[in-house]
Amino acid sequence: MSGWGGTVLVYLKYPEPGRVKTRLAATVGPARAVELYREWIGHVFERLQPLRPAVSVIGAIDGAAPEAFSPWVSFVDGWWQQPAGDLGHRLDAGFKQFHNANAPVLAVGTDCLELDADGIREALTRLLNCDAVFGPTSDGGYYLVGTSRYLPGFFDAIRWSSSDTLRDHLARCRDHNWRTELLPQLDDIDTGADWEAYRARTSGRASEPRLPTVAVVIPTLNEESGLPQTLNSLRNQSIPPDRVIVVDGGSRDRTVEVARELGAEVLATATRGRGNQAAVGIAAVTEEVVLVGHADMVFPPDALRRIGRHLLEHPGCPGGSLGHRFDSNRWRYRLVEWFDRRRAESGMSYGDQAQFFRREWLDRAGGFPAQSILEDVELSARLRASGRPACLNCPVTVSPRRFERLGLVRALWQNWQVRRAYRRGGVAAVHSLYERYYPPPRSRDGRRDSSR
């Protein structure tokens, strides 16, 4: 192998009372145990994100179909259903499935909250020169296991969930002359005592600095069906937004009512175009950071925390994007996502990748582009004029409805044409481009409705 890379399998169960963290539940109760377990899933996945895309993160799931794990879909590169059998059989099946000749495989659970991306990098680096690596715990088990290649029988004859687990595994490695390395000891959280010990260890650490305030602005037009998912994903953020504003452009369905029912502020405008609508919302906010969303986006649970942390840790960053993943299993959308991510990493993102920016910085660069089309392209250009925009690789899930309606090739061709026309004509071409690609609907008498 040259350099480190590989696959991390995160073994997890569907959060259900009586099936997860049963020893912890004896102390805190089944409902609280499930609540904590859900938080830990997000915590572990979040800590792995800096490794992507060099490392593939796979959710090894048990207890439900992949759709049930949708709150964490943006954190993984795929789901893999664990087979029936004991832990050894399930680990062996995962390693056999994901090993190849050039990259190692690691397995972790969701119980070790102190394992981070640096720990995974260390494990992968160790595997450049050995056959197996273990992350030991004080109870005789391990929080991480990895191999540089598939080793038949590696998980056989191990006394699982006991004080002899690691001892048995190291003995098996010696018997087969497999070279092993040990990482620093960390602890899993299995019981109420483990949870209290973890809280005691971490309570003395410096508290997280204040993150910047965030306002989310969402332009809408007839989005009553998709908007609830979008707003609920914002309500369920680990750090909720300080303000959510829906700017409606004249919906004729229940979009406005749905937005208010779900706690969003609603502004109305008769001005056509998503960029114009977004500009109305942005003019009404005073928060330090603005995130411009679309009404078909589902935000991952730690999206706003990731934005705040990045901007806090990178004071020279003017803004950027989260990235996107289409709500479809078709491989062609993975290609579109890949190209769009490469473009965003160079500083050119699109609106369906969830763009965000420091309000003060953008004001100095000319403000948010109040234009009916290609406001996202213009926004990227203004951010790049202020610094290096970030691509956080924390993708929102978006609908492929436009691609499905037009056909992928036609939609991509149309995108290319409109971007080329904008490069040639600039802001002066915006109105004609909008009229060309988003003509007003016809009224019953066949005339164009000029209200949109």
Side-chain angles (χ1 to χ4, degrees):
M1 292 186 299
S2 60
W4 58 263
T7 298
V8 178
L9 299 174
V10 183
Y11 278 73
L12 68 156
K13 296 180 180 179
Y14 180 70
E16 186 177 2
R19 294 196 70 251
V20 297
K21 310 313 299 176
T22 52
R23 287 190 286 168
L24 176 63
T27 302
V28 302
R32 177 58 175 159
V34 168
E35 181 183 354
L36 288 172
Y37 186 70
R38 290 182 67 89
E39 292 177 6
W40 298 348
I41 292 173
H43 178 89
V44 170
F45 275 138
E46 180 195 352
R47 287 198 151 197
L48 297 179
Q49 297 313 297
L51 301 167
R52 299 169 70 198
V55 174
S56 179
V57 177
I58 302 295
I61 56 176
D62 180 42
E67 293 76 17
F69 295 85
S70 60
W72 304 285
V73 68
S74 64
F75 289 134
V76 300
D77 298 293
W79 299 113
W80 175 72
Q81 193 83 45
Q82 298 181 41
D86 67 9
L87 179 58
H89 176 72
R90 288 182 279 124
L91 284 167
D92 180 74
F95 276 58
K96 188 174 184 179
Q97 174 77 21
F98 290 96
H99 255 304
N100 61 53
N102 300 312
V105 172
L106 302 178
V108 300
T110 56
D111 302 334
C112 183
L113 303 186
E114 294 169 281
L115 177 63
D116 57 17
D118 289 338
I120 297 294
R121 290 191 187 96
E122 177 65 19
L124 294 170
T125 301
R126 299 281 188 98
L127 285 173
L128 296 173
N129 300 302
C130 70
D131 299 304
V133 64
F134 298 93
T137 56
S138 59
D139 61 4
Y142 47 76
Y143 60 86
L144 174 151
V145 59
T147 57
S148 59
R149 66 187 190 282
Y150 179 65
L151 303 174
F154 182 73
F155 294 103
D156 292 348
I158 306 296
R159 286 173 284 183
W160 299 106
S161 301
S162 75
S163 59
D164 298 303
T165 300
L166 179 58
R167 185 181 300 113
D168 287 352
H169 226 143
L170 292 175
R172 188 160 191 79
C173 289
R174 287 194 296 270
D175 291 342
H176 289 79
N177 294 317
W178 291 326
R179 296 165 298 165
T180 62
E181 291 271 0
L182 295 181
L183 299 174
Q185 179 176 294
L186 298 174
D187 284 317
D188 284 338
I189 302 174
D190 294 316
T191 67
D194 295 338
W195 174 233
E196 292 303 322
Y198 168 77
R199 295 177 65 186
R201 287 197 305 274
T202 58
S203 62
R205 297 177 184 173
S207 59
E208 186 177 74
R210 185 189 71 81
L211 299 181
T213 55
V214 178
V216 182
V217 175
I218 303 173
T220 59
L221 180 66
N222 299 324
E223 296 285 1
E224 67 171 336
S225 60
L227 188 59
Q229 265 195 312
T230 300
L231 294 179
N232 282 326
S233 70
L234 290 170
R235 295 172 70 185
N236 293 328
Q237 290 290 301
S238 57
I239 295 180
D242 296 274
R243 197 173 181 187
V244 177
I245 296 182
V246 168
V247 185
D248 191 68
S251 293
R252 298 174 181 177
D253 61 6
R254 294 191 67 255
T255 296
V256 169
E257 290 83 351
V258 168
R260 287 175 175 150
E261 289 168 3
L262 293 175
E265 299 177 47
V266 178
L267 300 177
T269 178
T271 307
R272 296 175 61 185
R274 182 180 284 137
N276 287 324
Q277 291 174 235
V280 170
I282 292 165
V285 305
T286 57
E287 281 70 20
E288 298 163 275
V289 176
V290 177
L291 169 63
V292 180
H294 289 185
D296 65 344
M297 284 180 176
V298 177
F299 293 86
D302 270 348
L304 298 188
R305 183 194 293 271
R306 290 282 301 279
I307 291 172
R309 283 181 174 173
H310 184 87
L311 294 179
L312 191 68
E313 295 168 2
H314 300 82
C317 176
S321 65
L322 290 170
H324 65 184
R325 182 178 180 85
F326 291 103
D327 188 16
S328 172
N329 292 325
R330 295 185 178 183
W331 65 267
R332 59 189 186 181
Y333 291 122
R334 305 291 82 80
L335 291 177
V336 176
E337 293 160 6
W338 186 87
F339 280 109
D340 286 351
R341 185 170 67 246
R342 297 279 83 79
R343 192 179 288 108
E345 288 171 349
S346 71
M348 173 57 72
S349 60
Y350 296 138
D352 62 358
Q353 293 174 293
Q355 295 173 306
F356 60 90
F357 54 86
R358 298 181 196 265
R359 174 67 184 275
E360 181 184 2
W361 282 55
L362 190 63
D363 287 347
R364 294 202 300 263
F368 185 84
Q371 54 193 62
S372 54
I373 194 172
L374 292 171
E375 78 289 342
D376 51 353
V377 173
E378 182 64 26
L379 174 60
S380 287
R382 295 184 186 185
L383 290 178
R384 284 188 295 174
S386 300
R388 173 80 177 188
C391 177
L392 297 190
N393 196 22
C394 179
V396 296
T397 302
V398 295
S399 169
R401 56 188 177 177
R402 180 170 175 270
F403 291 119
E404 297 290 337
R405 185 178 72 250
L406 296 178
L408 181 63
V409 173
R410 181 184 172 193
L412 292 175
W413 173 246
Q414 188 180 88
N415 290 348
W416 181 82
Q417 284 183 309
V418 74
R419 289 196 300 269
R420 183 183 66 168
Y422 186 70
R423 285 196 300 270
R424 291 178 173 178
V427 176
V430 165
H431 180 72
S432 61
L433 287 172
Y434 186 81
E435 292 293 333
R436 177 181 177 183
Y437 289 102
Y438 300 101
R442 293 185 183 274
S443 60
R444 291 182 180 179
D445 61 5
R447 298 179 181 177
R448 291 291 186 187
D449 181 356
S450 60
S451 65
R452 283 289 308 152

